[in-house]
Amino acid sequence: MAEQMNNNQQPQEENLSQLLQIRRDKLKELQESGNDPFQITKYEVNNDSANIKANFDALEGTSVSIAGRLMSKRGMGKVSFCDLQDKSGRIQLYARKDEMDEAEYDRFKKYDIGDIVGVVGEVFRTQRGEMSVRVQKVTLLSKNLLPLPEKFHGLTSTELRFRQRYVDLMVNPEVKRNFVIRSQFIKFMRNYLDNMEYIEVETPVLNTIAGGASARPFITHHNTLDIDMYMRIATELPLKRLIVGGMDRVYEIGRIFRNEGMDPKHNPEFTTVELYQAYADFHDMMDIAEGIISGAAKEILGTYEVEWMGEKIDLTPGWRRLTMVDAVKEYAGVDFGAITDDAEAVAAANAIGVELADAAEKTWGNALYATFDQRVEEKLIQPTFITMYPVEVSPLTKRSPADPRLTERFELFVCHSELANAYSELNDPIDQRERFQKQVEQRERGDDETEMMDDDFLTALEYGMPPTGGMGMGIDRCVMLLTGQDTIREVILFPTMKPLAE
C-alpha cells in the first residue's frame, strides 16, 4: 500500500512542478514584454459584485471598475467567461475579442485561475439572464504562482484550512461569514457599553506576576530588566485598579494568553472583554451579558433562535438564573443546602462518583463545585446563569451576606459551555489578602494554576474600592454560538497550530 501511495504521489508532484514552472514562465514573458503586474502600485475601484447585483436596474448599461481574483474560466476562444471574486462575493465577466484591444484579449486568455485582475466594463445581463460585466479593459494586478485547490474537492483538510487561512478564505467563501459576524459582534458590544458610558481602556500584556485568574501562564524574559515576565492571563486586576482611581465604568477588549491545552473550546491565545462598574453588583452584570448576546443575535442574525452543537438555542431575553446549590439539587440529586459538615459534603459527592482534585481541600465548597463541574455543567443547554459559587473557587469575589461559604458570582452557560464569568467584586483588602494566601498555599501543594499574591493590588484596595460589579466574557465562544461553529478554531483567523515536522 505504501509503495502504491508513493507511486501515485510522484506523478502528482511532477504535475505540480510543471504547473509552477508554466506560471513562472508566463510571469517572465509578461515582464519581458513590459507588462510586469508587480510594478502596479494602485488600481481605482468604484464598485463591487454585491452592489452591482443589489442595484442592477440602476447600474445596467453603466461603466464600472472592479477588481478581484479569477476563480473560474470558460470558453477562451473569441468569447470568454470568468467568475471574479472580490470582497463582497462573485460576479461573472463576459469578454469578447472584437470588443477589446486584441493584444490585451490575447494576454487575458493566458491568465490563470487565481490571478488578481482589475476590470473596466459595462453592467449587463447575458442571454441566460445572469448579471454580468462586459469587459472593456482588463489589467493583471498580481500573478498567481501557486494553483488554487481543485475546484470540486477544494480545501477540505481542516488542519490545512487553519494553517493556510488565506487559501481557506479564497476557496471557501462561507468561511468569511464567521469573521464578518465576529467583527459585527465586537462592534455591537462596543456600542452597547459605550452607550452605557463605559470607557474603553488598554492595560499591560506583560506583567511581573500572573494574576486575575486561575491559569498557567506563558513566561518570557525581559532582557534589559533581566527579569521573567508573564503574558497576561486576565485583565481583571489592572482594570479594578482603575475603579479605585475613580474611572467608574471601564472595559477592555483584548488578547489573553494561557498555557493550557488545545481542544474545541480552548486556544492558548483568545479574546475577551472584561468590564467593571462601580456601585453595581453581579445582578447588573447578568443584565449586561444577556443584553449583549441576545441583542447581538437579534441585530446581526435577525432572530433569537440559533443552532449550536446540534441544539436549538433560544436567546430570547429572560434567561434562567439558578444558584449552584439549586442546580446540583435539580440535576445531580444532592441537596448541599441541607449539609453543613465538610466531611459529609465530600462523602455525598463521592457517593455519586464525584472525586475532588488532589490539591483541593476537602471542604463543603470544593465538594459542591466538583459535583457541579462533573455532574451538572454538561446538562445546561439553554442560556442559564449559575450563581453563588463557593468561596474556595472564587478568590476575587465578595462573600454572600446570607452564607459566607458562598460568593456573589455567576457563570453563564449555553450548550454546556461557559460564555461569561462575573462577580460582585471583593473590595475588602484584609479578606483579599487571606484568600491570596490560601491560593499561595495551594500553589505550594502543587497546583500551579492558582492565583499569585499581588501586593500592589492589595495596596490599591487599601485606598478603598467602591462596591463593584465585574464580568469577563469570551468573545470567541460568543461568536461560536452566533455562527453555529463547534470548534474555536473556526472563529479565530489564525489559531495556534503545532509546527509541521521538517
Side-chain angles (χ1 to χ4, degrees):
M1 176 64 88
E3 183 178 350
Q4 182 180 352
M5 289 178 62
N6 289 334
N7 290 337
N8 291 337
Q9 187 176 4
Q10 187 173 354
Q12 292 176 1
E13 291 176 350
E14 290 176 356
N15 290 338
L16 178 59
S17 179
Q18 291 173 2
L19 284 173
L20 296 179
Q21 188 58 53
I22 290 170
R23 296 199 178 199
R24 278 161 175 75
D25 290 343
K26 287 183 178 180
L27 174 61
K28 184 178 180 182
E29 181 182 338
L30 286 165
Q31 291 171 330
E32 290 176 347
S33 65
N35 295 291
D36 185 353
F38 298 124
Q39 290 189 357
I40 298 174
T41 59
K42 184 176 180 178
Y43 188 82
E44 293 292 339
V45 175
N46 64 18
N47 226 305
D48 61 57
S49 58
N51 187 64
I52 291 171
K53 292 179 178 179
N55 299 283
F56 180 81
D57 291 342
L59 291 172
E60 186 174 13
T62 65
S63 179
V64 294
S65 178
I66 58 178
R69 189 180 298 275
L70 295 177
M71 299 303 294
S72 71
K73 295 174 67 178
R74 304 175 296 283
M76 292 299 141
K78 292 184 178 180
V79 178
S80 304
F81 294 89
C82 299
D83 284 330
L84 180 134
Q85 180 170 289
D86 61 16
K87 65 179 182 179
S88 63
R90 293 189 183 187
I91 194 164
Q92 179 174 268
L93 304 180
Y94 171 87
R96 291 180 59 96
K97 187 172 184 177
D98 59 3
E99 294 178 352
M100 295 173 59
D101 177 82
E102 186 173 340
E104 185 175 301
Y105 182 83
D106 289 341
R107 286 195 300 271
F108 177 57
K109 285 174 58 177
K110 296 180 181 179
Y111 293 168
D112 294 302
I113 294 174
D115 286 351
I116 297 175
V117 299
V119 174
V120 174
E122 178 186 308
V123 176
F124 85 116
R125 194 185 294 273
T126 66
Q127 290 182 345
R128 294 187 175 183
E130 184 165 354
M131 290 180 280
S132 308
V133 173
R134 186 190 301 270
V135 179
Q136 298 165 344
K137 182 177 177 58
V138 60
T139 305
L140 182 63
L141 303 175
S142 183
K143 182 65 187 165
N144 171 281
L145 299 179
L146 283 173
L148 300 186
E150 191 268 326
K151 176 180 178 182
F152 294 102
H153 299 292
L155 188 66
T156 56
S157 164
T158 53
E159 180 164 331
L160 188 58
R161 285 180 49 235
F162 301 147
R163 289 186 187 279
Q164 297 186 339
R165 182 70 83 184
Y166 42 91
V167 183
D168 188 25
L169 290 166
M170 285 180 215
V171 301
N172 296 320
E174 68 280 2
V175 170
K176 184 177 179 181
R177 172 182 175 271
N178 296 339
F179 299 103
V180 170
I181 290 176
R182 182 188 180 102
S183 177
Q184 292 171 336
F185 175 71
I186 293 173
K187 180 179 180 181
F188 178 89
M189 182 168 52
R190 275 198 168 99
N191 289 338
Y192 189 100
L193 294 173
D194 291 345
N195 288 335
M196 291 186 67
E197 299 183 351
Y198 275 78
I199 299 172
E200 185 173 9
V201 297
E202 296 171 308
T203 62
V205 173
L206 291 175
N207 296 279
T208 54
I209 69 163
S214 295
R216 186 179 295 113
F218 286 98
I219 304 174
T220 186
H221 189 78
H222 192 293
N223 291 334
T224 301
L225 296 177
D226 192 24
I227 59 171
D228 285 342
M229 300 192 77
Y230 302 88
M231 298 185 75
R232 68 184 180 193
I233 58 174
T235 53
E236 178 170 350
L237 301 186
L239 290 173
K240 288 201 285 193
R241 286 174 170 90
L242 299 180
I243 295 290
V244 171
M247 298 178 71
D248 284 356
R249 299 187 181 198
V250 294
Y251 74 94
E252 179 171 12
I253 298 172
R255 266 304 208 245
I256 302 298
F257 307 87
R258 295 185 181 177
N259 198 350
E260 56 191 13
M262 296 185 291
D263 61 36
K265 296 180 185 177
H266 295 87
N267 193 67
E269 55 176 308
F270 56 97
T271 306
T272 67
V273 59
E274 285 203 47
L275 54 114
Y276 294 86
Q277 180 176 332
Y279 313 110
D281 67 3
F282 76 135
H283 293 287
D284 298 290
M285 296 299 109
M286 278 188 259
D287 294 338
I288 293 173
E290 183 175 308
I292 288 175
I293 297 174
S294 65
K298 190 66 172 177
E299 179 165 306
I300 298 169
L301 307 178
T303 178
Y304 290 124
E305 305 292 329
V306 300
E307 289 193 16
W308 190 28
M309 292 193 255
E311 302 284 354
K312 292 185 177 181
I313 307 299
D314 183 1
L315 298 176
T316 303
W319 298 350
R320 194 176 189 199
R321 303 183 180 191
L322 193 64
T323 69
M324 184 174 287
V325 168
D326 287 342
V328 167
K329 182 178 179 180
E330 178 176 333
Y331 290 100
V334 181
D335 185 5
F336 278 87
I339 300 172
T340 58
D341 180 72
D342 287 339
E344 185 181 348
V346 173
N350 293 161
I352 60 170
V354 172
E355 296 293 333
L356 277 65
D358 291 339
E361 289 185 84
K362 303 305 184 281
T363 64
W364 178 90
N366 280 330
L368 168 64
Y369 180 75
T371 304
F372 170 79
D373 184 54
Q374 298 176 36
R375 292 292 182 271
V376 177
E377 183 177 323
E378 64 183 3
K379 299 176 182 178
L380 301 175
I381 304 300
Q382 298 302 325
T384 306
F385 291 105
I386 298 297
T387 68
M388 311 307 289
Y389 274 58
V391 70
E392 289 91 334
V393 295
S394 310
L396 297 164
T397 315
K398 185 169 287 190
R399 293 177 190 266
S400 166
D403 187 342
R405 298 175 300 176
L406 300 173
T407 62
E408 293 198 340
R409 172 186 176 186
F410 77 75
E411 286 185 314
L412 168 62
F413 291 92
V414 180
C415 250
H416 46 78
S417 297
E418 177 204 337
L419 268 61
N421 184 15
Y423 310 151
S424 294
E425 300 295 337
L426 178 61
N427 60 347
D428 179 345
I430 297 172
D431 190 356
Q432 181 65 83
R433 183 176 292 277
E434 291 174 354
R435 293 201 221 175
F436 271 155
Q437 187 58 48
K438 287 185 178 180
Q439 294 280 299
V440 170
E441 293 168 0
Q442 189 166 329
R443 178 176 287 272
E444 291 172 350
R445 291 195 299 270
D447 187 351
D448 60 354
E449 295 189 12
T450 53
E451 293 273 344
M452 294 182 179
M453 182 78 74
D454 187 337
D455 287 315
D456 181 73
F457 177 66
L458 292 169
T459 298
L461 289 187
E462 288 172 348
Y463 277 99
M465 185 175 84
T468 298
M471 177 172 64
M473 183 184 295
I475 289 175
D476 309 295
R477 291 187 187 175
C478 290
V479 176
M480 287 172 64
L481 168 67
L482 295 177
T483 58
Q485 298 300 321
D486 293 349
T487 171
I488 195 171
R489 292 185 174 191
E490 292 287 4
V491 298
I492 296 177
L493 278 168
F494 301 103
T496 303
M497 304 291 290
K498 182 180 180 181
L500 292 171
E502 295 184 2

